[in-house]
Amino acid sequence: MNRYIARRLLLILPTLVGIITLNFFIVQLAPGGPVDQTIARPTSQDVSTSTRIGAASTAAAEVNVQSQYAGARGLDPELIAAIEKQFGFDRPLHERYLKMLVDYFSLDFGNSYYQGRPVIELILERLPVSVSLGLWSMLLIYFISIPLGIAKALRDGTRFDAWTSGLIFIGYSIPSFLFAIMLLMVFAGGAYLDWFPLKGLTSRNFDELSWFGKAVDYLWHLALPVTAITVSGFATLTMLTKNSFLDEVSKQYVMTAAAKGLSDGRVLYGHVFRNAMLIVIAGFPAALIGILFTSTLLIEVIFSLQGLGLLGFEATLTRDYPIIFGTVFCFTFLSLLLTLIGDITYTLVDPRIDFESRDR
């Protein structure tokens, strides 16, 4: 297993390079980049723009300029050249690409085009929000879905299975953002109760609280957004767990184990559980990455939480390339690590799985 882990860790580097390269050329060659967006700003903003980038003046006489940028006609060529230099577009594409690779593997993600701050600083600032939402949501989803799915499999066709299926159907049908709005209306000072805060991850006096008070304040702010994500996310996993257990229970080895006189608990948790859990574990890395960086986007907007999902989305709209590439790098790296952790978990659940012998 150690050799398998070492090989997978070594593969992370070329995989990162491949994904970053693909994203770099797709994003860089797409129209509407930062230079185009700066040029397209209203004339009233040109003065501040030219001052910020050190251009001579935006009030220069209009000239007919043949430019690759939409909307550049009539602008001073020196201004366009200054804008290109500000964003690093005065150098060839391959030079920008090679510089980005060197910088990224030294963990230098550069500065945001529009916020004027290091990208790594912005990511670290937003990371606690995304990790809090994703981690607590995944823990609740798995702690609810797996026991509930097993219970439904053992009571298949009973009243318990019927009414829990109704609850699961409701949870699956209601989008997380709609459920989040309902929670705000009912419990956060809307039409009924005012029990929970409307926004933020902590209160303003968080630093003045004791360690116990900080923990309570943190969980108090997370209660509604985590509930919204959990309710909309546990339905699929519950049914997957149930169907996986039903499939395993009907197999011959379960009947043989029961015929040997093993107790139901020994058969269920000693034999069925480890086989049925493999398909559930397989989806863990993708599910966690999805919740961390995509599924929480609307939740972050509704609860005014500044997370990585919102950071990447805003950067995509404004073509803030350093943030886009920095977040893609982090997402990819975490995804590869979580996939490796999922493979290791396979062997813990079922020791019969041997990745090393399979790779020979």
Side-chain angles (χ1 to χ4, degrees), residues 35-347:
V35 177
D36 295 279
Q37 298 216 6
T38 303
I39 292 173
R41 290 178 180 177
T43 306
S44 60
Q45 297 181 9
D46 286 346
V47 176
S48 61
T49 301
S50 61
T51 301
R52 177 167 53 85
I53 64 178
S57 172
T58 58
E62 292 187 355
V63 293
N64 292 332
V65 181
Q66 296 297 327
S67 175
Q68 59 177 316
Y69 304 109
R73 184 179 180 86
L75 293 180
D76 188 346
E78 293 183 0
L79 175 61
I80 297 175
I83 295 174
E84 288 180 329
K85 185 175 181 180
Q86 178 200 3
F87 294 119
F89 282 78
D90 57 329
R91 290 176 296 179
L93 185 65
H94 69 278
E95 288 187 14
R96 302 202 302 269
Y97 167 69
L98 292 176
K99 183 180 183 302
M100 187 196 69
L101 285 184
V102 173
D103 290 343
Y104 273 34
F105 286 103
S106 61
L107 297 181
D108 180 10
F109 298 152
N111 293 331
S112 168
Y113 285 159
Y114 305 109
Q115 300 188 44
R117 297 174 58 191
V119 173
I120 188 66
E121 182 180 307
L122 292 170
I123 291 175
L124 292 177
E125 184 181 281
R126 304 289 188 97
L127 189 61
V129 174
S130 295
V131 170
S132 296
L133 292 175
L135 185 60
W136 290 112
S137 299
M138 284 301 299
L139 288 175
L140 282 176
I141 288 172
Y142 270 74
F143 281 141
I144 293 173
S145 299
I146 292 177
L148 181 59
I150 294 174
K152 287 176 64 63
L154 297 178
R155 297 172 177 83
D156 185 41
T158 63
R159 289 184 177 180
F160 173 82
D161 184 39
W163 69 261
T164 52
S165 295
L167 293 177
I168 290 172
F169 178 77
I170 294 174
Y172 184 79
S173 302
I174 301 178
S176 59
F177 73 90
L178 181 59
F179 193 75
I181 294 173
M182 292 170 57
L183 290 176
L184 284 177
M185 292 176 58
V186 176
F187 297 107
Y192 300 97
L193 304 173
D194 189 10
W195 290 354
F196 296 94
L198 281 171
K199 61 182 181 179
L201 193 61
T202 56
S203 300
R204 293 183 178 179
N205 63 336
F206 182 79
D207 294 333
E208 303 173 3
L209 301 175
S210 64
W211 68 268
F212 180 77
K214 289 181 178 180
V216 172
D217 183 74
Y218 169 74
L219 295 175
W220 181 50
H221 281 76
L222 279 178
L224 295 187
V226 168
T227 300
I229 298 172
T230 302
V231 168
S232 62
F234 83 101
T236 302
L237 185 60
T238 300
M239 297 308 299
L240 179 64
T241 303
K242 175 191 174 182
N243 294 333
S244 179
F245 266 79
L246 286 177
D247 183 60
E248 290 295 324
V249 166
S250 62
K251 291 184 177 179
Q252 184 63 43
Y253 75 90
V254 177
M255 301 177 186
T256 302
K260 290 182 177 179
L262 297 180
S263 64
D264 292 342
R266 181 70 181 277
V267 173
L268 179 63
Y269 295 103
H271 298 276
V272 176
F273 183 82
R274 62 176 56 181
N275 293 326
M277 282 296 98
L278 291 177
I279 191 172
V280 176
I281 294 172
F284 179 80
L288 182 56
I289 289 293
I291 288 181
L292 278 174
F293 306 121
T294 56
S295 299
T296 61
L297 174 59
L298 291 176
I299 300 298
E300 291 175 9
V301 174
I302 292 171
F303 290 97
S304 300
L305 297 170
Q306 301 295 316
L308 285 178
L310 186 58
L311 177 67
F313 177 72
E314 292 174 343
T316 303
L317 293 180
T318 59
R319 300 298 195 272
D320 199 336
Y321 290 165
I323 294 180
I324 294 175
F325 296 136
T327 51
V328 167
F329 182 91
C330 294
F331 297 167
T332 304
F333 183 70
L334 286 175
S335 178
L336 293 172
L337 282 183
L338 288 172
T339 303
L340 177 59
I341 292 173
D343 289 345
I344 296 173
T345 309
Y346 285 159
T347 62

